[in-house]
Amino acid sequence: MTVNINEVIKNKKISTVFQAIFNIQEQCIIGYEALTRGPLGCELYSPDVLFKHAMDADLLSELEILCRDKAIKRFAQLKLKGKLFLNISPLVLLNKNHPQGETVKFVEQAGLSCQQIVIELSEKYPFPNNFTLRDALARYRQFGFNVAIDDLGAGYSGLKLWSQLSPNIVKVDRYFVENCHQDSFKQKFLKAIFDLAIDAETEVVVEGIECCQEFDFLQALGMKYAQGFYLAKPSINPVREYPEHLISDVFIQKPLTRG
């Protein structure tokens, strides 16, 4: 099946899946990340391909607005608890033609509050060294939105972004999580991020956890917030309870931590 990006946006041919984010210390769900999927059965189903086509067609702003609208409505329809994490490209925030106030409008129409929304900025995209992005985020914060840096360590600006934007949350890139239980460099990086976050009063979400060995190591290192296939996969109807296999993991480890 062949579908072009203009048709996808015009006919709103996207869907939203949600992946739960967990507080493993309190064994509860703290929110969900909204992830977009294109039309089933074509190459635009993949979000990477979908957004690349939108960028190439100069329709990134239009696609992102559609994604936010769909995600917020669906989150409200499902009556999901906690915070909704929305991915937003810095390139859109820096676009002078990007409409202002749309996200607030969608939130209000859905009967939610801005305090429930976390704006996730991916560190994978480059952006100019100026105050435009910080000013744009300041407007979101005035309404009560929280701010997260996604993919920390993936490229371009990393710690500089953290310092300039003072996010509420940073999400560690999957690269540093993969096989972290076997990689001493990744272990040192993760520990440094946890330590820095304490000083910066920033919460850390470790995403991309795909096996019990990674989970067990990160838990021992002090991880509080976690996300990944090992915990729960993205779904149209996501999990609403803390996974039993994680409770088992914690139970097994408890005797090892007693004095």
Side-chain angles (χ1 to χ4, degrees):
M1 181 175 67
T2 302
V3 181
N4 65 53
I5 187 64
N6 290 279
E7 183 181 351
V8 169
I9 294 173
K10 180 181 178 181
N11 297 316
K12 301 182 178 181
K13 291 186 173 183
I14 65 167
S15 58
T16 306
V17 295
F18 297 93
Q19 187 173 31
I21 302 172
F22 300 91
N23 181 331
I24 66 165
Q25 295 180 7
E26 298 183 9
Q27 298 185 6
C28 64
I29 295 173
I30 61 137
Y32 297 84
E33 180 178 358
L35 301 164
T36 297
R37 300 290 184 263
L40 192 63
C42 75
E43 67 169 349
L44 295 184
Y45 177 77
S46 163
D48 290 340
V49 176
L50 180 69
F51 279 89
K52 182 181 185 306
H53 278 245
M55 287 183 66
D56 292 343
D58 197 24
L59 292 171
L60 185 60
S61 178
E62 289 81 356
L63 177 60
E64 285 219 0
I65 289 174
L66 174 59
C67 292
R68 291 181 219 174
D69 187 21
K70 285 263 189 175
I72 292 167
K73 285 179 178 174
R74 185 61 180 158
F75 184 85
Q77 287 170 354
L78 291 173
K79 294 182 170 56
L80 296 175
K81 303 297 184 182
K83 293 187 179 291
L84 169 60
F85 288 67
L86 293 175
N87 292 286
I88 294 180
S89 166
L91 301 177
V92 169
L93 293 182
L94 295 172
N95 183 349
K96 293 180 180 179
N97 296 321
H98 181 68
Q100 302 293 321
E102 291 294 291
T103 307
V104 175
K105 181 180 73 176
F106 297 150
V107 169
E108 291 176 346
Q109 288 175 344
L112 303 176
S113 71
C114 293
Q115 286 76 18
Q116 288 177 265
I117 310 299
V118 179
I119 302 298
E120 279 195 31
L121 294 177
S122 175
E123 202 234 319
K124 290 180 179 177
Y125 298 97
F127 56 87
N129 182 20
N130 58 34
F131 298 104
T132 308
L133 181 60
R134 191 166 65 182
D135 291 344
L137 289 176
R139 290 194 291 272
Y140 277 99
R141 282 177 157 144
Q142 286 176 352
F143 288 103
F145 293 95
N146 283 340
V147 173
I149 295 176
D150 196 12
D151 307 308
L152 183 73
Y156 297 106
S157 36
L159 296 178
K160 185 177 180 181
L161 250 187
W162 192 346
S163 174
Q164 290 181 338
L165 301 181
S166 301
N168 307 94
I169 301 164
V170 294
K171 300 183 77 176
V172 179
D173 185 65
R174 164 68 189 151
Y175 170 81
F176 294 99
V177 177
E178 185 176 11
N179 295 320
C180 60
H181 57 291
Q182 298 176 325
D183 190 317
S184 61
F185 178 82
K186 291 181 179 180
Q187 293 170 8
K188 291 174 183 175
F189 175 85
L190 290 162
K191 185 178 186 305
I193 293 301
F194 288 154
D195 290 344
L196 184 58
I198 294 173
D199 293 336
E201 298 183 350
T202 304
E203 302 291 358
V204 177
V205 175
V206 181
E207 58 184 348
I209 301 171
E210 295 193 356
C211 68
C212 63
Q213 292 91 341
E214 293 168 355
F215 179 83
D216 291 344
F217 171 79
L218 288 160
Q219 183 186 13
L221 196 63
M223 172 180 65
K224 183 176 182 180
Y225 301 110
Q227 179 181 358
F229 276 31
Y230 176 67
L231 296 91
K233 294 181 179 180
S235 174
I236 294 175
N237 293 295
V239 299
R240 296 170 183 264
E241 302 292 338
Y242 194 78
E244 290 185 7
H245 69 281
L246 299 184
I247 296 175
S248 299
D249 285 348
V250 174
F251 178 77
I252 291 170
Q253 290 190 35
K254 278 184 178 178
L256 301 178
T257 61
R258 289 177 183 166

